[in-house]
Amino acid sequence: MKKEIAIIGGGASGFLTAITAKKNGKDVVILERKDRVLKKVLTTGNGRCNLTNVNASNRNYFGIEKMKQPIEKILESFTSQDAMRFFEDEVGIICNEENRGKVYPLSGQAASIVDGLRFYTQSLGIEIITDFYVTKIEKEMFDFKIISEDKRQIIAKKVVLATGGKSYPELGSNGSGYELAKCFGHTVTELTPVIVQLKAEKEKIKGLKGIKSDVEITAFGENRNGEKEKICTYDGELLFTDFGISGNVVFNISYVFPIYKNVEFEIDFMPKFTYNEIFEILKKRRTILKDFTMEQFFNGVVNKKLGQFLTKSAGIEKLSKSINELTDNEIRKICTTLKKYRIKIIDTNGFKAAQVTAGGIPLSEVNLENLESKKVKNLYFAGEILDVYGECGGFNLQWAWTSGYFLGKNL
């Protein structure tokens, strides 16, 4: 089989590349290694598909290699508003904006996006070949020979690597695209899982598994110059696990891990109250609960087990201590523990649990006017395989749509 353009990877960026190129009169084929396309899209947003974010801009994206300005033109070519118009006017999906600018299909089902895109590509006459695991690409004089694991071959004038990263490998993105790119002389920046659970110091989480709490977390870390700095603050639900921390607030803030060293989180367990307000609340509790022990001090304030843990963390080892014996200084220490509980982040929970991969093909090796390789003519990249990743909240799918559209228009 001979095609003008072969797109390797049947994910979000591959589909937008194919759709845009086909509408521009190009002959395209999508090659997907799994038995179905868009499998990763099906799992996004807890199965609801957070397809974009109305606030998406340059500031929401990062890279291992410095890259802030270069992608601005790409992002502006297909904004979140363009994405919503595309899905509503062409695919037939009604978009629904929720908190913090997150956009979902009104149906609340990621399957709506997957089915809509599949039906739309069929209507355009785009050929999709599944179970085609590309293991080798050979550059011939004017064409590429694409060879599958079972030795099938496809000839194409242009090749797009839209293979994703290494996150959720069972859904298709197993990192094979990086190896294909390396065969053409490309390098790959350090790969790190993001939008992922994090491993923390065991003594700071011991016995807290399963406890949930609405918190505010501020991240601190060493920047590329080795300087310690405050990075960002997010609020949301925190979940303690046997290895560290999870929950939506952790997913939101995990983007800092690849670009900062010695990351430490400062957790505020009572973000609705100031330090002074908590001090007055706890002093009042000392009076109200004077006949009880410290074991009951946090009852009705935070999770009981968490409260007992934080009491000990504040230096009060014996929970049998009478609440009436609490000094103002001890209450101040408890307030500090409640408002500024520090946890050092040791590692992520790995690619199998991650939604996104940070790192990839450096933008310095790609022509940012059309996403073509600077090393091999007619080789292109789209989506997560590039060294670009976004915050949690629809920004990474927006990058997939944007880069796919931008590339498809310029093929």
Side-chain angles (χ1 to χ4, degrees):
M1 179 192 295
K2 189 167 184 176
K3 287 283 182 177
E4 184 180 1
I5 301 166
I7 299 166
I8 303 174
S13 62
F15 262 69
L16 258 289
T17 303
I19 288 167
T20 310
K22 182 69 174 182
K23 286 164 68 177
N24 284 344
K26 307 295 184 181
D27 177 34
V28 299
V29 61
I30 297 174
L31 306 176
E32 168 57 46
R33 84 176 185 95
K34 303 296 281 185
D35 60 343
R36 285 183 295 150
V37 293
L38 299 164
K39 291 185 95 171
K40 192 173 176 182
V41 172
L42 199 60
T43 68
T44 59
N46 290 321
R48 295 177 61 221
C49 191
N50 182 188
L51 63 99
T52 188
N53 193 299
V54 298
N55 301 314
S57 72
N58 204 46
R59 69 177 182 274
N60 301 112
Y61 295 93
F62 309 90
I64 305 303
E65 183 187 67
K66 281 194 173 184
M67 43 59 74
K68 276 287 181 183
Q69 283 305 112
I71 67 165
E72 201 156 28
K73 181 179 177 181
I74 301 171
L75 293 173
E76 289 172 354
S77 72
F78 192 76
T79 66
S80 59
Q81 300 300 319
D82 294 325
M84 287 188 284
R85 276 193 293 271
F86 166 75
F87 280 104
E88 292 195 346
D89 297 345
E90 300 187 45
V91 185
I93 302 294
I94 298 177
C95 296
N96 182 40
E97 181 184 342
E98 298 186 14
N99 65 317
R100 300 186 184 186
K102 296 178 181 179
V103 178
Y104 298 85
L106 188 59
S107 65
Q109 294 180 293
S112 300
I113 299 294
V114 172
D115 289 343
L117 286 172
R118 283 196 306 108
F119 297 148
Y120 188 56
T121 53
Q122 286 175 16
S123 71
L124 293 175
I126 295 171
E127 185 174 6
I128 299 172
I129 303 176
T130 56
D131 293 309
F132 195 101
Y133 184 12
V134 177
T135 54
K136 191 175 183 181
I137 305 174
E138 295 177 353
K139 182 74 165 74
E140 299 181 333
M141 188 169 291
F142 300 110
D143 298 313
F144 292 89
K145 184 192 289 183
I146 303 162
I147 305 168
S148 70
E149 189 177 40
D150 57 5
K151 307 305 179 187
R152 285 176 290 165
Q153 296 184 9
I154 288 177
I155 306 298
K157 290 185 178 297
K158 297 180 179 181
V159 168
V160 175
L161 290 181
T163 50
K166 288 183 69 176
S167 54
Y168 283 161
E170 69 277 9
L171 299 181
S173 54
N174 66 345
S176 59
Y178 301 125
E179 299 308 312
L180 293 173
K182 284 179 182 178
C183 291
F184 288 108
H186 280 280
T187 59
V188 177
T189 61
E190 184 179 359
L191 303 175
T192 307
V194 288
I195 310 184
V196 64
Q197 301 164 321
L198 298 173
K199 295 180 180 179
E201 302 168 280
K202 286 192 175 179
E203 64 273 14
K204 293 293 186 80
I205 59 165
K206 192 174 181 181
L208 299 179
K209 180 182 178 182
I211 292 175
K212 295 178 181 179
S213 182
D214 288 327
V215 304
E216 185 177 87
I217 295 181
T218 300
F220 297 84
E222 289 180 14
N223 59 29
R224 289 179 171 120
N225 298 321
E227 301 162 335
K228 194 82 170 180
E229 64 179 51
K230 175 181 174 181
I231 307 168
C232 60
T233 300
Y234 282 90
D235 62 83
E237 185 181 80
L238 172 69
L239 170 66
F240 287 96
T241 68
D242 55 355
F243 54 79
I245 51 178
S246 184
N248 60 30
V249 67
V250 173
F251 291 155
N252 284 336
I253 211 167
S254 65
Y255 80 86
V256 308
F257 197 75
I259 46 181
Y260 288 89
K261 293 181 179 178
N262 298 319
V263 174
E264 193 173 24
F265 287 173
E266 185 177 272
I267 303 173
D268 183 348
F269 287 101
M270 296 182 68
K272 293 182 179 179
F273 300 91
T274 66
Y275 178 96
N276 289 335
E277 286 172 339
I278 296 173
F279 181 65
E280 293 303 320
I281 289 169
L282 297 187
K283 279 205 303 181
K284 184 177 180 180
R285 291 180 71 79
R286 180 175 59 186
T287 302
I288 296 170
L289 304 173
K290 63 182 187 302
D291 296 328
F292 298 93
T293 65
M294 289 302 298
E295 198 172 16
Q296 286 81 39
F297 189 61
F298 277 107
N299 186 43
V301 179
V302 297
N303 177 282
K304 185 177 180 180
K305 188 187 284 189
L306 175 62
Q308 292 173 355
F309 180 86
L310 295 175
T311 298
K312 290 185 175 182
S313 297
I316 301 169
E317 288 295 328
K318 294 184 178 178
L319 295 177
S320 58
K321 179 186 177 78
S322 173
I323 292 174
N324 189 47
E325 296 174 4
L326 266 183
T327 66
D328 282 2
N329 190 47
E330 286 175 322
I331 290 177
R332 287 190 182 93
K333 287 181 180 178
I334 293 172
C335 289
T336 299
T337 304
L338 278 168
K339 295 293 286 182
K340 295 186 176 184
Y341 186 69
R342 288 272 185 148
I343 293 182
K344 187 175 181 181
I345 304 305
I346 307 301
D347 201 353
T348 73
N349 201 31
F351 285 108
K352 285 187 177 181
Q355 295 180 31
V356 174
T357 304
I361 307 301
L363 295 186
S364 58
E365 297 180 6
V366 178
N367 182 344
L368 294 173
E369 294 300 315
N370 58 1
L371 294 180
E372 184 180 20
S373 165
K374 289 182 179 179
K375 297 179 179 292
V376 179
K377 187 174 176 56
N378 290 330
L379 176 67
Y380 300 82
F381 302 97
E384 195 177 348
I385 192 172
L386 290 163
D387 183 13
V388 178
Y389 71 98
E391 296 177 61
C392 182
F395 299 103
N396 288 287
L397 261 182
Q398 178 59 36
W399 169 246
W401 312 133
T402 293
S403 59
Y405 172 85
F406 182 83
L407 172 55
K409 190 176 67 171
N410 289 290
L411 277 172

